[in-house]
């Protein structure tokens, strides 16, 4: 047995003594069996009467009796042990002796602590706790983990992780496999996952996860029983952290762009500098289209009008102003944005184009190809191949509409959101000021 065991006959003599008892106290079975009681060898004489009385009291009481007292080792040391004693009944139903299982108190306390910790983790813990077996299937989950997974505690058990998660399952399985093979990692990991129960919303969550390998203490060689996976949902904190970092980066980009643009002699070059700094980490391509200069006497950029009406531009008053490409980032190899030669030929935007809508609304317009990108979606909008997300922002300066700046993203990036539109509007105000200055310098409109 793993526990120390000794037994006493009805007369108090030692009848059994196992190897664990020999390991703890040092007395062999040959030295122990046959002795009368424990006095003088396994217990101090001063304590012998009390100890033997406690042990033999089990013959007069039902069930097991638990006691703690000090025993002596063969080399004279005292060892505090916890005993469980119970009567051994004879054929006539009367007590024929007593058996006593005992272990060192600190070992027993360690075991009880481990059991108590395990029960607390799976009942009261504020962290989610999942016991994953060697087949990478949940074997035990606590209530917190079940809520995080969006399922009942019993519904999770035995199911492949792919039945619980849409995204992040590969990273999680890789982490669990590594722990089974290599042991507990030195630090927690942050895993971004999407629950299958949230498939309609596609909400990504960040779980800060810790892993511990579980091995049987009874095996001669460590045999993995599974992995203890503890995690906590830190999505809100991570999103706040990411948003703060993004705001700091964008503010720094605006500051750097302003410093660099201030060194440009040509205002149009300054506008291109603002566009280049804005693209970093924000979009794949950028386009600046300006309202075509009208043929009226003043030739001002304001002829396009903030309302989208082309008063002196050669269009009927109800038609939208024509847009001419002024600046564009390279669509192929990366490089700086450059001014486009002023041909005066309008970009062939179709009806309802996001840039035309931005002019009409005098604001920002977001466009996206959707989950299933239709062939020719980008080409129909005169955007570079591979574009799936667009953001058009009107260029306004001194109460006049100068044109539209367009930011484009490919499929590897997420769609533009409101925070992106606010940043794009900050950039657009700087580009508009530079283009307005360019029109003043040349004595005409920004698009001239």
């Amino acid at each position: 047995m793993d526990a120390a065991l000794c037994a006493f006959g009805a007369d108090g003599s030692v009848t059994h003594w196992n190897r664990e008892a020999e390991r703890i106290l040092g007395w062999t079975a040959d030295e122990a069996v046959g002795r009368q009681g424990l006095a003088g060898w396994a217990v101090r004489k001063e304590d012998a009467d009390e100890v033997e009385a406690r042990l033999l009291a089990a013959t007069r009481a039902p069930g097991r009796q638990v006691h703690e007292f000090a025993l002596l080792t063969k080399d004279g040391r005292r060892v505090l042990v916890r005993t469980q004693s119970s009567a051994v009944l004879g054929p006539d139903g009367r007590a024929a002796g007593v058996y006593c299982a005992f272990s060192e108190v600190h070992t027993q306390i360690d075991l009880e602590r481990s059991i108590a910790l395990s029960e607390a983790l799976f009942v009261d813990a504020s962290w989610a706790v999942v016991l994953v077996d060697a087949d990478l299937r949940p074997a035990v989950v606590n209530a917190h983990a079940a809520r995080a997974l969006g399922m009942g505690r019993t519904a999770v058990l035995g199911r492949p992780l792919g039945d619980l998660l849409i995204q992040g399952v590969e990273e999680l399985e890789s982490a669990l496999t590594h722990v089974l093979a290599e042991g507990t990692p030195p630090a927690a990991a942050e895993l971004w996952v999407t629950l299958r129960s949230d498939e309609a919303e596609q909400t990504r969550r960040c779980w800060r996860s810790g892993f511990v390998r579980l091995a049987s203490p009874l095996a001669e060689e460590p045999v993995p029983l599974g992995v203890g996976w503890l995690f906590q949902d830190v999505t809100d904190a991570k999103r706040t952290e990411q948003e703060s970092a993004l705001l700091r980066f964008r503010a720094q980009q605006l500051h750097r762009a302003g410093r660099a643009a201030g060194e440009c002699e040509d205002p149009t070059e300054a506008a291109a500098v603002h566009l280049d700094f804005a693209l970093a980490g924000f979009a794949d391509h950028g386009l600046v289209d300006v309202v075509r200069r009208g043929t009226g006497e003043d030739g001002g950029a304001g002829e396009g009008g903030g309302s989208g009406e082309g008063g002196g531009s050669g269009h009927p008053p109800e038609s939208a102003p024509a847009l001419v490409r002024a600046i564009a980032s390279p669509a192929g190899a990366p490089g700086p944005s450059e001014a486009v030669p002023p041909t005066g030929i309008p970009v062939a935007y179709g009806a309802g184009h996001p840039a035309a809508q931005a002019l009409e609304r005098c604001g920002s317009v977001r466009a996206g190809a959707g989950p299933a990108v239709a062939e020719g979606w980008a080409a129909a909008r005169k955007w570079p191949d591979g574009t799936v997300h667009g953001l058009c922002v009107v260029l306004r300066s001194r109460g006049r509409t100068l044109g539209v700046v367009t930011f484009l993203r490919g499929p590897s990036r997420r769609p533009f959101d409101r925070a992106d539109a606010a940043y794009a509007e900050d950039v657009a105000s700087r580009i508009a000021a530079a283009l307005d200055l360019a029109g003043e310098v040349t004595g005409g409109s920004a698009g001239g």
Side-chain angles (χ1 to χ4, degrees):
M1 292 180 61
D2 294 320
L5 176 68
C6 62
F8 303 90
D11 59 354
S13 61
V14 179
T15 60
H16 295 79
W17 191 267
N18 73 348
R19 290 183 179 179
E20 186 64 14
E22 177 181 343
R23 186 193 68 80
I24 294 175
L25 299 180
W27 301 98
T28 65
D30 291 340
E31 294 171 325
V33 174
R35 288 182 180 255
Q36 188 68 31
L38 302 175
W41 62 284
V43 176
R44 292 193 314 168
K45 291 182 179 181
E46 296 84 351
D47 302 330
D49 291 341
E50 180 183 359
V51 169
E52 292 179 2
R54 289 186 182 183
L55 292 176
L56 295 177
T59 61
R60 301 183 298 274
R64 292 178 296 175
Q65 304 294 311
V66 179
H67 302 285
E68 289 184 6
F69 44 74
L71 298 181
L72 286 177
T73 64
K74 189 174 182 178
D75 57 8
R77 292 182 298 106
R78 298 183 73 191
V79 178
L80 184 63
V81 300
R82 178 173 295 177
T83 65
Q84 296 185 51
S85 56
S86 181
V88 177
L89 302 180
D92 56 358
R94 302 177 62 183
V98 174
Y99 80 83
C100 173
F102 63 92
S103 60
E104 297 176 77
V105 166
H106 70 83
T107 302
Q108 185 72 17
I109 291 176
D110 288 344
L111 175 61
E112 291 180 2
R113 283 197 188 112
S114 298
I115 295 173
L117 174 62
S118 176
E119 292 181 349
L121 287 175
F122 286 104
V123 177
D124 302 321
S126 59
W127 278 62
V129 182
V130 180
L131 175 58
V132 182
D133 63 22
D135 293 332
L136 306 186
R137 296 170 182 256
V140 185
V141 299
N142 68 351
H144 194 102
R147 288 194 299 271
L149 292 167
M151 303 180 70
R153 294 182 66 178
T154 56
V156 176
L157 304 184
R159 302 184 63 173
L161 296 175
D163 288 354
L164 308 177
L165 304 176
I166 301 173
Q167 297 177 347
V169 63
E170 295 84 0
E171 292 81 357
L172 177 57
E173 289 182 344
S174 176
L176 295 171
T177 303
H178 173 80
V179 174
L180 285 171
E182 302 294 336
T184 302
E190 292 179 349
L191 302 175
W192 285 91
V193 302
T194 300
L195 299 180
R196 192 163 292 280
S197 57
D198 291 342
E199 186 172 1
E201 301 177 3
Q202 289 290 310
T203 303
R204 296 180 72 234
R205 303 183 183 187
C206 182
W207 290 345
R208 181 170 293 142
S209 303
F211 304 91
V212 290
R213 182 169 65 177
L214 306 178
S216 172
L218 306 179
E220 294 183 2
E221 297 182 359
V223 177
L225 296 178
V227 177
W229 172 30
L230 295 82
F231 66 91
Q232 189 174 36
D233 194 322
V234 294
T235 306
D236 293 340
K238 289 299 295 182
R239 292 199 186 282
T240 300
E241 179 183 327
Q242 290 175 346
E243 290 172 2
S244 299
L246 183 60
L247 288 175
R248 288 194 301 270
F249 173 76
R250 289 179 174 178
Q252 184 181 29
Q253 286 297 97
L254 290 174
H255 173 73
R256 293 174 61 196
R259 294 288 299 271
E263 301 300 322
C264 298
E265 296 182 3
D266 181 1
T268 303
E269 181 184 353
V273 166
H274 280 294
L275 180 63
D276 281 334
F277 274 93
L279 291 179
F282 181 69
D284 296 317
H285 301 293
L287 308 172
V288 175
D289 302 319
V290 296
V291 176
R292 186 175 62 176
R293 181 170 55 182
T295 58
E297 293 181 357
D298 60 354
E303 293 179 5
S307 65
E309 295 180 357
S313 61
H315 291 273
E318 67 275 5
S319 64
L323 292 171
V324 178
R325 182 64 40 83
I327 303 172
S329 65
S337 300
E338 295 181 351
V340 176
T343 63
I345 300 175
V347 184
Y349 288 147
H353 191 280
Q357 293 182 40
L359 276 179
E360 180 183 356
R361 300 177 186 178
C362 201
S364 303
V365 175
R366 287 175 281 167
V373 182
E375 185 178 356
W377 185 86
R381 288 157 181 79
K382 307 304 177 183
W383 289 341
D385 290 340
T387 298
V388 295
H389 309 296
L391 172 61
C392 297
V393 183
V394 70
L395 297 170
R396 295 276 296 172
S397 178
R398 295 190 295 167
R400 299 178 301 167
T401 298
L402 305 184
V404 176
V405 58
T406 302
F407 297 98
L408 305 173
R409 287 177 176 174
S412 62
R413 295 179 182 267
R414 59 176 177 78
F416 290 99
D417 56 23
R418 291 183 179 179
D420 294 329
Y423 175 62
E425 288 167 3
D426 283 343
V427 175
S429 66
R430 289 160 170 78
I431 294 176
L435 292 178
D436 194 9
L437 179 59
E440 291 296 325
V441 170
T442 60
S445 73

